[in-house]
């Protein structure tokens, strides 16, 4: 699949710089761990190692303004960087700190919060989880019940959050919590940062369909949180959450990762099948990746430094979720009845032969069923596109 964008001289030079960096600084064991990973994200150890390498290079906060440690890259440079990283099998960066809460803190946080939290996100000391969803509040997030009662010097937090990705690794969690009852459920919600070491927090694992431990339920039982951990104004958490969700749904390019999945699929499928229907379906997927790349470039090129991508992020989320799922389905089709045997694999391996890379395919296929649910389901993205992008009300 060859397509070279009409990048200018400077962009091609930047791409060369990124390629050289990846050739020399991305260790082989991280590339292999990425290819053997079946879960939504790689393990904390693998992710943190890559995080530290990029931090040392000064290339981590590329979505952030320069004053907080950003790179000053243009949207096209960001696209090139993410694409080259994905094509080289670099591990995905864990987004909860860098892409989710970081922008909320540098946009709405107090000077003290910026000074304390932002450097610790970049140096990897703080590992974040996202506490939005609850057992009774997913698509209808405004129905959330987990509450934070203002006691003057601190909040007292009671309730539970669910589907909390990597909460078992995190030392901080950002939550939206009910701080007052009001007529409109979106009001009276506040955005609060909680240290996971606080007494009264309990984490229960949830094992995914693919057999991985990615998500959890987190319980808060009279957890005391200092009042200064409130971000922005009390009662305006819904606005900050909506701002964050735009970064979650469309802040980065995922087409490079999907393109790479297709390349891997082509490599191993050549050994297994020469079926005409398979080749036809493969070509259709390649065309859809090209369309996604063009859409990503269009949306990203409109992004201003330090600003969220806008409601168009829902288009990227919807299209990439469908495409990722369809690529993984074709991969499982290609390995046929081997899929079940490959279901039980050892993701702790750091060595693999090319054929071993088929091993995580079945688990990845099953785990990817969640990509049309997390970050807001496909139906919710369609609702947002209809009302906020197309103006159909
Ligand atoms: C693997 C995974 C990781 C996750 N990680 C996190 C995390 O780290 N932090 C976090 O806070 N949350 C996380 N989530 C939660 C995720 O955001 C929710 O699961 C999602 O928003 C859907 O909510 P729900 O599961 O309650 O489903 P529901 O809201 O009950 O939806 C059920 C079905 O009804 C449909 N539906 C609901 N409302 C409408 C409507 N208005 N119009 C049309 N259809 C509708 C939905 O599309 C869906 O098909 C994660 C979820 C998964 C699966």
């Amino acid at each position: 699949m060859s397509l070279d964008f009409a990048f200018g001289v400077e962009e091609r030079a930047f791409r060369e710089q990124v390629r050289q960096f990846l050739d020399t600084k991305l260790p082989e064991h991280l590339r292999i761990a990425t290819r053997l990973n079946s879960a939504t994200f790689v393990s904390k150890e693998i992710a943190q190692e890559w995080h530290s390498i990029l931090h040392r290079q000064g290339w981590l906060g590329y979505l952030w303004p320069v004053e907080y440690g950003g790179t000053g890259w243009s949207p096209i440079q960001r696209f090139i960087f993410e694409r080259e990283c994905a094509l080289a099998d670099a591990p995905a960066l864990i987004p909860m700190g860098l892409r989710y809460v970081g922008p909320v803190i540098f946009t709405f946080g107090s000077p003290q919060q910026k000074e304390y939290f932002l450097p610790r996100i970049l140096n990897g000391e703080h590992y974040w989880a996202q506490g939005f969803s609850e057992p009774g509040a997913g698509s209808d997030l405004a129905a959330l019940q987990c509450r934070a009662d203002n006691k003057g010097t601190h909040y007292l937090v009671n309730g539970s959050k669910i589907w909390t990705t990597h909460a078992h690794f995190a030392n901080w969690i950002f939550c939206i919590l009910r701080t007052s009852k009001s007529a409109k459920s979106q009001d009276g919600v506040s955005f609060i940062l909680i240290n996971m070491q606080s007494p009264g927090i309990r984490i229960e694992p949830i094992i995914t369909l693919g057999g991985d431990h990615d998500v959890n339920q987190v319980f808060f039982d009279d957890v005391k949180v200092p009042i200064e951990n409130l971000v922005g104004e009390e009662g305006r958490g819904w606005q900050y959450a909506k701002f964050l969700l735009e970064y979650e749904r469309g802040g980065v390019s995922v087409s490079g990762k999907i393109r790479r999945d297709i390349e891997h699929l082509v490599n191993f499928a050549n050994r297994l099948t020469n079926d005409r229907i398979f080749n036809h379906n493969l070509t259709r997927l390649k065309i859809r990746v090209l369309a996604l790349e063009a859409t990503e470039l269009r949306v990203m090129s409109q992004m201003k430094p330090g600003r969220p991508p806008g409601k168009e992020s829902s288009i990227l989320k919807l299209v990439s979720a469908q495409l990722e799922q369809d690529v993984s389905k074709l991969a499982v089709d290609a390995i046929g009845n081997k899929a079940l045997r490959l279901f039980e694999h050892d993701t702790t391996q750091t060595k693999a032969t090319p054929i071993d890379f088929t091993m995580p395919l079945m688990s990845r296929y099953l785990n990817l069923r969640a990509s049309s649910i997390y970050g807001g389901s496909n139906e919710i993205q369609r609702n947002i596109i209809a009302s906020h992008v197309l103006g159909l009300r």
Side-chain angles (χ1 to χ4, degrees):
M1 183 165 51
S2 70
L3 172 101
D4 207 4
F5 295 101
F7 291 135
V9 176
E10 279 179 24
E11 285 146 352
R12 287 205 301 275
F14 175 75
R15 184 174 62 185
E16 201 43 45
Q17 190 192 356
V18 173
R19 284 181 180 169
Q20 276 177 19
F21 168 77
L22 292 166
D23 282 348
T24 52
K25 296 288 167 54
L26 173 59
E28 186 61 15
H29 68 276
L30 294 192
R31 297 175 195 249
I32 291 174
T34 303
R35 291 173 67 178
L36 287 173
N37 177 52
S38 59
T40 309
F41 300 117
V42 290
S43 69
K44 180 181 178 183
E45 291 69 32
I46 297 292
Q48 291 287 85
E49 193 178 337
W50 182 229
H51 183 109
S52 300
I53 293 169
L54 289 178
H55 182 47
R56 282 197 293 278
Q57 179 74 7
W59 282 3
L60 203 50
Y62 57 87
L63 283 173
W64 296 20
V66 174
E67 60 190 297
Y68 302 122
T71 52
W73 290 345
S74 68
I76 304 300
Q77 285 178 307
R78 290 208 311 264
F79 176 85
I80 291 172
F81 176 72
E82 284 164 350
R83 189 167 191 264
E84 294 302 321
C85 285
L87 294 178
D89 289 327
L93 289 166
I94 305 295
M96 282 76 87
L98 285 170
R99 184 151 60 97
Y100 299 177
V101 76
V104 171
I105 293 174
F106 68 62
T107 308
F108 304 106
S110 65
Q112 293 78 6
Q113 287 169 342
K114 292 179 193 177
E115 194 185 331
Y116 179 72
F117 288 110
L118 296 178
R120 287 170 175 78
I121 293 174
L122 290 181
N123 71 19
E125 187 184 330
H126 286 179
Y127 194 96
W128 286 86
Q130 176 185 31
F132 279 15
S133 307
E134 297 181 10
S139 304
D140 184 13
L141 194 53
L144 66 93
Q145 297 295 324
C146 191
R147 55 175 224 280
D149 298 327
N150 189 331
K151 300 291 181 187
T153 57
H154 64 270
Y155 289 103
L156 207 55
V157 178
N158 279 287
S160 145
K161 294 289 175 181
I162 198 166
W163 310 118
T164 324
T165 303
H166 283 200
H168 53 305
F169 295 136
N171 45 18
W172 280 85
I173 183 168
F174 56 91
C175 292
I176 44 174
L177 301 167
R178 192 155 294 290
T179 40
S180 75
K181 291 256 182 225
S182 69
K184 195 170 167 231
S185 52
Q186 282 86 349
D187 296 337
V189 168
S190 299
F191 196 105
I192 295 176
L193 314 175
I194 303 178
N195 188 324
M196 289 292 276
Q197 313 304 323
S198 315
I201 296 183
R202 185 166 57 87
I203 302 169
E204 295 279 344
I206 301 173
I207 304 303
T208 63
L209 197 59
D212 290 289
H213 179 194
D214 255 0
V215 287
N216 304 274
Q217 185 164 5
V218 182
F219 297 88
F220 300 88
D221 186 12
D222 277 343
V223 177
K224 277 172 93 167
V225 180
I227 211 90
E228 54 270 19
N229 288 15
L230 169 77
V231 176
E233 287 174 48
E234 195 175 279
R236 288 190 51 84
W238 188 253
Q239 275 66 35
Y240 312 144
K242 283 200 302 186
F243 169 96
L244 181 150
L245 285 169
E246 287 184 14
Y247 273 100
E248 178 170 355
R249 291 166 181 163
V252 291
S253 156
V254 291
S255 59
K257 162 83 175 52
I258 301 175
R259 178 179 272 265
R260 186 61 173 155
D261 285 346
I262 292 181
E263 284 177 1
H264 288 313
L265 169 58
V266 170
N267 287 341
F268 76 75
N270 282 343
R271 284 190 292 273
L272 300 171
T273 177
N274 191 22
D275 181 76
R276 276 184 59 226
I277 296 175
F278 173 84
N279 287 327
H280 172 82
N281 289 335
L282 189 63
T283 305
R284 290 174 68 97
L285 291 174
K286 289 178 181 177
I287 293 167
R288 286 168 60 193
V289 176
L290 294 179
L292 175 63
E293 284 171 339
T295 310
E296 278 181 346
L297 270 171
R298 185 167 57 79
V299 173
M300 288 176 79
S301 63
Q302 285 161 7
M303 269 177 87
K304 307 256 180 320
R307 306 281 310 169
K311 299 291 181 202
E312 284 81 358
S313 56
S314 290
I315 302 175
L316 299 181
K317 166 73 175 57
L318 174 68
V319 172
S320 56
Q322 289 172 322
L323 196 44
E324 274 183 309
Q325 290 184 340
D326 290 349
V327 172
S328 76
K329 180 172 183 313
L330 192 61
V332 168
D333 284 349
I335 55 176
N337 60 10
K338 293 191 186 65
L340 283 178
R341 184 169 61 75
L342 294 172
F343 183 53
E344 296 197 352
H345 68 279
D346 178 8
T347 50
T348 60
Q349 290 181 76
T350 51
K351 288 198 165 122
T353 62
I355 197 73
D356 288 330
F357 291 124
T358 59
M359 292 175 77
L361 290 179
M362 190 62 205
S363 296
R364 193 178 295 160
Y365 166 82
L366 292 169
N367 283 334
L368 271 172
R369 299 310 98 189
S371 71
S372 47
I373 301 173
Y374 53 65
S377 69
N378 281 4
E379 291 75 21
I380 295 304
Q381 304 313 324
R382 287 195 186 92
N383 287 348
I384 294 171
I385 294 164
S387 55
H388 297 288
V389 181
L390 302 175
L392 309 169
R393 284 179 190 268

